[in-house]
Amino acid sequence: MEADLSAYSVRTDLALEARDFAAAAQPTIPGVLSSGYEKEGIKVSVIDITSEQGAQALGKLPGHYITLEVPALRQKDSDLQDRVATVFAQEFEKFLQKLSIPRNASVLVIGLGNWNVTPDALGPLVVENMTVTRHYFELVPDQVSPGYRPVSAVAPGVLGTTGIETGEIVQGIVDRSKPDLVIAIDALASRSLERVNTTIQIADTGIHPGSGIGNKRKGLTIDTLGVPVIAIGVPTVVYASTIVNNAFDMMHNHFQRQTANTGQILGLMDNLQENERLQLVKEVLNPLGHDLLVTPKEIDQFIEDIANIVASGLNAALHEAVDVDNVAAYTH
Amino acid sequence: MEADLSAYSVRTDLALEARDFAAAAQPTIPGVLSSGYEKEGIKVSVIDITSEQGAQALGKLPGHYITLEVPALRQKDSDLQDRVATVFAQEFEKFLQKLSIPRNASVLVIGLGNWNVTPDALGPLVVENMTVTRHYFELVPDQVSPGYRPVSAVAPGVLGTTGIETGEIVQGIVDRSKPDLVIAIDALASRSLERVNTTIQIADTGIHPGSGIGNKRKGLTIDTLGVPVIAIGVPTVVYASTIVNNAFDMMHNHFQRQTANTGQILGLMDNLQENERLQLVKEVLNPLGHDLLVTPKEIDQFIEDIANIVASGLNAALHEAVDVDNVAAYTH
Amino acid sequence: MEADLSAYSVRTDLALEARDFAAAAQPTIPGVLSSGYEKEGIKVSVIDITSEQGAQALGKLPGHYITLEVPALRQKDSDLQDRVATVFAQEFEKFLQKLSIPRNASVLVIGLGNWNVTPDALGPLVVENMTVTRHYFELVPDQVSPGYRPVSAVAPGVLGTTGIETGEIVQGIVDRSKPDLVIAIDALASRSLERVNTTIQIADTGIHPGSGIGNKRKGLTIDTLGVPVIAIGVPTVVYASTIVNNAFDMMHNHFQRQTANTGQILGLMDNLQENERLQLVKEVLNPLGHDLLVTPKEIDQFIEDIANIVASGLNAALHEAVDVDNVAAYTH
Amino acid sequence: MEADLSAYSVRTDLALEARDFAAAAQPTIPGVLSSGYEKEGIKVSVIDITSEQGAQALGKLPGHYITLEVPALRQKDSDLQDRVATVFAQEFEKFLQKLSIPRNASVLVIGLGNWNVTPDALGPLVVENMTVTRHYFELVPDQVSPGYRPVSAVAPGVLGTTGIETGEIVQGIVDRSKPDLVIAIDALASRSLERVNTTIQIADTGIHPGSGIGNKRKGLTIDTLGVPVIAIGVPTVVYASTIVNNAFDMMHNHFQRQTANTGQILGLMDNLQENERLQLVKEVLNPLGHDLLVTPKEIDQFIEDIANIVASGLNAALHEAVDVDNVAAYTH
């Protein structure tokens, strides 16, 4: 993980947040299609950005985005986790169909991040729990049971521990192993503490330099790798400045609801644009070492739970023979 | 770890913070003796609370407190870590002398906290790196080299994973193994993000229910255990509400320095007492799951580094034969 | 773990092996009752030693013994593991009834062994996966759902890392927490490589100094602790000398089957008693560092699998509310 | 790790063993140069196979081999470990000079093996402790201190967890990152229990399919990668059949020394060639699951210690600025 160098902007890794932000000003956004549903504590949002106009309105690339929001996911509820894995598998299968990825397309799963930094270990943990099958197709193709496709999985490490840009390593592996599709798992820096470990985004736009918090300047995209790249991102950390900035909003709204007074609420803060305010918060916090990336105390358990959900969901979505009802059994 | 249920108060686990707070109003506090020094980035503060009056002024128990503050400790500098271990060892030796603990007193080190929750794993990690010798004194007393004393070390677990109050377990072990002194290592919730993983406190007041963040309602004190108890505490987590509340102060001070205007600075916030404001922040953050205990992203490395410092320092301070200049070699 | 100092003897920790050995000479042994069944790859043997005569014939204490043998357990088959957990739970429940342990008896699970030595980590891993409830009975007794009993669980460490005899620690915890029953989980040194990680023994005779491979000179028995002690043992390591000695037998039998020649088969080896031979093998291997305790290369996975089986089985057997059909869900 | 399919042969991964075997029959072997020294418990052997004739005599490829034998390495002696790291660094530097590798040659360290299988985790652990610098040379070349060269390090995983042959992954990374030299670290299956975790071999012959125990059918050689490949191998596991077979020899020698009788010593075993005997032992052990790959019980500590030695030694050998006297400080 590394700090997002352009972090003074308000932009977000989540299309959902960008859509909500844009929609506040303009209810219907040309070039942006939204749908979704909520069921038993799991909220699924589908956003398709179909034109450059939509892309500019949201500040996100054209493409397809799915977001799962599960506020209760931090409450160590294994039934809920199983249900999330099932929904994830169903949505991921639909996503593959929407992208016209064939059933027998070979898949390379890339787990970005660092084993030894817990909030950044999501990708490597998902890789560890993938049901890999590519070697059977290569070595004993006639013995592979029906219902499986060739799946491989690699955790390439991070720039700080390998000395090589992750994009270079992945490109080398893609050149050699020639998958039809790359799925990249990554931990993200959140724009909100409440999203940390509760939100999963699936997108077909790949992974771009500077977005997210990994060392991946090169990017993993159809342009660099030559095959489609689906990114799965989960916010696992948040800047202290983000927490503070969000809190100003919450406090402001709280006072506004409580007082008739529409004048001075937070004094000099009221005069600032959100960007200015965030920048100011950063300037004030930084000298004291206060603007760290932070993560919930229970991160070890959260990361393990979400890695199991994503790996179980992917295994079920990628292999027809792996039953959606029983996804959890395929991981430990 | 568990939330400190009385967290609406402004009180702190660190005598240093309590002293600074009290000193702001009253430069000389009767019953409180302070001294200290700073050397190469390590600030050592010694506070002795010698009377009930001093105790009430600071809201801390009478006793002896040493605090090491090392702001650069989060910067993975192994030379600095060695120097901190050395200073820790020297100060801890002096502390034992001040308490008149004899050189051959047997010591039981208790590592409070939970192996599987990284920011709460400090105590167990220190225990893992202690040079234990008590069994040699018991089994082959005539073969023990000079310069060692009987040291034992146990990580008793936490209430949530054992089902037994930690105080009960420790009392049972003390009853059986009869140490002359107990040293308890614990992770604390900080009152400030900048202290997280940069501050170490040594105190002879034991560990009290509700202070800190462990499951230890019973307390580990000379009253419950029958022998002196030295507590070593390191802040490793902080509430999101604490971060926000501190930020309000910083913002306020920032604006105050910048504007001649001494009137409305943070609007309605200016009218609140600090306690009221913290309570309000908590009320606003809580419903959204925003008031989590958080820890820096790099917590895995920080905890390992500080555990090595504390274990190395203790090994050198407890065993004369373990050289202060070479403390780090005795742990891995 | 420590070497069994009396290891030159042929004695075994497993009543099953002792019974088979004795039965070879004397088909019906007075004071020894045997029964058992085999189902889908799981062999269950029940042995009751009901008299001193039986105890002497087997070289085991009077008491009740159950052994599960599952040769395929090393083959990472999660269905089989679930079935073994279920059988374990059923047999353990029957065992509790045979011992007249009441349904609401409070239980303390002791996980012997060392976290950091994989083949010795079985006990601590089981403790980590136990559903502990004692604190709810203590703190909020009227809120405990029916179908649970008070269960606590502690991993006390080993002499080499604590400096205190494990028996002393456990006795201290028992004195304070007053359970009605202690269940102690321990890794054993096997008499045969094929038993390693495939055999589980349950016995009501406690844990005795020198048996097994843990640092537990004091023993955990009804005499030392004042409450019944059920020991659950799994062989996880084997001496190189044991492997060699077994191999001599296998080679001998192999040649015997193949040749009419009943004379010289293994030459000078043929003249030795088994005890003499084992002693000789040890003498020959030792100087070269060849008589290590060894464990299969895949020990990390094996230990995790068996710990899950034992913890799942215990959780289901101890808590009526935990369904036998679904035991695996209660651990991770 | 996978079983060496050609394991019925007596051949060994260690040139030293091959040389000793060949030298038993023929003291001076044309095309084989040997030298060496022993100092404070560390035995260093240098073997150069300079011709095809020498290669055939030893059954090893022409090339340069260095072996460090340290029987006491399993005794957790940190002073000895530091000395071994220093000797390793010195010998490795000389080795690079012998191969005419320039001081500024860029190096890619490949850690073969599997994180999650302790005896196979040597390679990944070494990678974790390497001082990687390549990214500084790429990103801020003018800010790199003198005394460093570009070093990168990757743990590519194993076929069973990635689904891709390790050779393919490494080739892809080499194609992209273009190092001048590859150093591959691998755990080996030993021909002798006494070598496990006590012997380190350095060779410039690369890693060949079927040698060692990794999933690396493709091989890592100058032919496949286009740059020189230095292999560093440490025996960490041994077959049960190997232990038994060695024991037969030891028993035979033991009896021979003790008896005047030069006739029947081990009976029918005496009539077998060593190859026949090993095959027989395997046939006898296999059906009972007795022919496992095994590793010492203390493998967790051993692997950590040797990984630190190799990483410290490599860091000192590769970077002039890293002092040989202080190698251990650069790893944790």
Side-chain angles (χ1 to χ4, degrees), chain C residues 1 74 116-119 192-194 237 240 243-244 246-248 250-251 254-255 259 264-269 272 280-281 284-285 288-290 292-297 300, chain D residues 1 74 116-119 192-194 237 240 243-244 246-248 250-251 254-255 259 264-269 272 280-281 284-285 288-290 292-297 300:
Chain C
M1 289 187 177
R74 291 197 295 230
N116 295 311
V117 175
T118 304
S192 149
L193 185 51
E194 78 198 48
V237 293
I243 296 175
V244 171
N246 290 351
F248 277 122
M250 292 187 228
M251 296 297 285
H254 172 81
F255 282 122
T259 63
Q264 281 285 32
I265 290 183
L266 289 181
L268 300 177
M269 303 293 283
L272 300 171
L280 180 62
V281 168
V284 170
L285 294 180
L288 290 164
H290 271 263
L292 298 171
L293 274 167
V294 298
T295 192
K297 178 173 75 73
D300 304 82
Chain D
M1 290 190 181
R74 291 197 297 229
N116 295 309
V117 174
T118 304
S192 150
L193 185 50
E194 77 197 48
V237 294
I243 296 174
V244 170
N246 289 351
F248 276 121
M250 292 188 231
M251 296 298 284
H254 172 82
F255 282 122
T259 64
Q264 281 284 33
I265 291 183
L266 289 181
L268 300 176
M269 302 294 282
L272 299 172
L280 180 61
V281 169
V284 170
L285 295 180
L288 291 163
H290 271 263
L292 298 171
L293 274 166
V294 297
T295 193
K297 177 173 76 73
D300 304 81

Side-chain angles (χ1 to χ4, degrees), chain D:
Chain D
M1 290 190 181
E2 62 172 340
D4 180 343
L5 300 176
S6 61
Y8 285 115
S9 81
V10 192
R11 71 156 224 258
T12 163
D13 288 318
L14 299 179
L16 181 66
E17 290 184 335
R19 199 262 330 256
D20 289 348
F21 192 77
Q26 179 188 14
T28 307
I29 312 163
V32 177
L33 299 176
S34 296
S35 63
Y37 63 91
E38 179 156 8
K39 194 180 154 193
E40 299 177 15
I42 305 169
K43 189 173 165 196
V44 177
S45 306
V46 178
I47 297 175
D48 297 318
I49 304 181
T50 58
S51 71
E52 262 310 312
Q53 192 184 3
Q56 286 194 3
L58 266 56
K60 304 294 297 173
L61 288 173
H64 306 89
Y65 300 84
I66 298 177
T67 312
L68 274 67
E69 296 173 275
V70 193
L73 207 49
R74 291 197 297 229
Q75 284 156 28
K76 200 167 162 45
D77 171 346
S78 60
D79 281 345
L80 176 63
Q81 288 166 25
D82 287 350
R83 281 187 287 121
V84 177
T86 301
V87 170
F88 180 93
Q90 290 162 346
E91 293 298 330
F92 200 86
E93 264 185 85
K94 282 191 257 171
F95 199 76
L96 293 178
Q97 286 162 19
K98 189 188 269 186
L99 302 187
S100 305
I101 308 286
R103 294 217 153 175
N104 60 349
S106 64
V107 174
L108 169 61
V109 177
I110 294 292
L112 298 168
N114 188 343
W115 281 105
N116 295 309
V117 174
T118 304
D120 198 22
L122 178 69
L125 277 174
V126 170
V127 160
E128 193 182 316
N129 284 321
M130 289 305 300
T131 301
V132 299
T133 53
R134 180 183 175 278
H135 49 319
Y136 300 124
F137 284 87
E138 296 282 315
L139 300 173
V140 287
D142 49 341
Q143 293 173 35
V144 180
S145 310
Y148 290 92
R149 72 166 88 211
V151 171
S152 53
V154 176
V158 296
L159 180 61
T161 62
T162 64
I164 306 173
E165 281 210 31
T166 305
E168 293 287 356
I169 294 179
V170 175
Q171 205 165 340
I173 297 170
V174 168
D175 288 350
R176 284 279 151 191
S177 66
K178 304 201 187 313
D180 300 318
L181 171 70
V182 166
I183 299 173
I185 324 291
D186 200 12
L188 308 175
S190 182
R191 290 258 307 139
S192 150
L193 185 50
E194 77 197 48
R195 289 213 179 279
V196 169
N197 303 318
T198 66
T199 299
I200 305 171
Q201 177 177 275
I202 305 166
D204 67 347
T205 51
I207 290 194
H208 292 268
S211 81
I213 47 174
N215 292 299
K216 43 190 144 31
R217 243 136 303 177
K218 177 143 199 174
L220 305 178
T221 65
I222 192 168
D223 291 334
T224 59
L225 300 182
V227 295
V229 178
I230 298 178
I232 298 175
V234 177
T236 65
V237 294
V238 62
Y239 281 98
S241 55
T242 303
I243 296 174
V244 170
N245 202 40
N246 289 351
F248 276 121
D249 282 338
M250 292 188 231
M251 296 298 284
H252 193 277
N253 295 342
H254 172 82
F255 282 122
Q256 220 163 18
R257 280 193 304 271
Q258 298 228 323
T259 64
N261 177 2
T262 56
Q264 281 284 33
I265 291 183
L266 289 181
L268 300 176
M269 302 294 282
D270 293 344
N271 306 327
L272 299 172
Q273 297 287 322
E274 191 177 354
N275 271 5
E276 290 173 330
R277 199 180 64 193
L278 178 58
Q279 184 161 357
L280 180 61
V281 169
K282 283 179 168 290
E283 282 174 19
V284 170
L285 295 180
N286 253 333
L288 291 163
H290 271 263
D291 194 19
L292 298 171
L293 274 166
V294 297
T295 193
K297 177 173 76 73
E298 302 84 355
I299 185 66
D300 304 81
Q301 186 67 51
F302 292 162
I303 285 285
E304 189 183 322
D305 290 345
I306 292 192
N308 274 332
I309 288 169
V310 173
S312 301
L314 280 180
N315 284 333
L318 295 177
H319 300 301
E320 271 183 89
V322 177
D323 190 345
V324 175
D325 296 339
N326 190 24
V327 287
Y330 292 79
T331 63
H332 61 263

Side-chain angles (χ1 to χ4, degrees), chain B residues 96-114:
Chain B
L96 293 178
Q97 285 162 19
K98 188 187 270 186
L99 303 187
S100 305
I101 307 286
R103 295 217 152 173
N104 60 349
S106 63
V107 174
L108 169 61
V109 177
I110 295 292
L112 298 168
N114 187 342

Side-chain angles (χ1 to χ4, degrees), chain B residues 205-239:
Chain B
T205 52
I207 291 195
H208 293 268
S211 81
I213 48 173
N215 291 300
K216 43 188 143 31
R217 242 135 304 177
K218 177 142 199 174
L220 305 178
T221 65
I222 192 166
D223 292 334
T224 59
L225 300 182
V227 295
V229 178
I230 299 178
I232 299 175
V234 178
T236 65
V237 294
V238 62
Y239 281 98

